[in-house]
Amino acid sequence: MIERALEADIPVVIAVSQKSFADWIKFAGGMSVKLACDRHALDAWWHRVSLKTTAQIAPDHTTVCEVFK
């Protein structure tokens, strides 16, 4: 299911423990966002992601960001 979402360019939220986050970054190839574990951080992330669907982004554009609260 996750693979199909990623192929369709649909954002996916996956909880990863702090202990495993470095391994997750390697696995995900840098295509991840680190959020605080609270509803406000998730809502803010979703708002930014949903706005991107209306903006034109170059197909080869890669973004890596970490959001800390």
Side-chain angles (χ1 to χ4, degrees):
M1 196 93 131
I2 294 170
E3 184 177 336
R4 288 177 51 193
L6 295 175
E7 288 172 357
D9 201 25
I10 297 170
V12 177
V13 175
I14 300 172
V16 178
S17 70
Q18 185 78 4
K19 177 182 168 187
S20 301
F21 194 72
D23 292 331
W24 174 256
I25 292 292
K26 290 176 189 172
F27 173 78
M31 293 300 297
S32 54
V33 176
K34 185 175 183 178
L35 302 173
C37 190
D38 64 48
R39 181 60 188 246
H40 176 74
L42 182 60
D43 288 344
W45 169 79
W46 179 251
H47 180 72
R48 287 189 307 273
V49 170
S50 63
L51 290 177
K52 286 183 181 181
T53 60
T54 59
Q56 291 185 358
I57 300 174
D60 62 345
H61 179 76
T62 302
T63 301
V64 178
C65 48
E66 293 188 4
V67 180
F68 297 96
K69 184 168 183 173

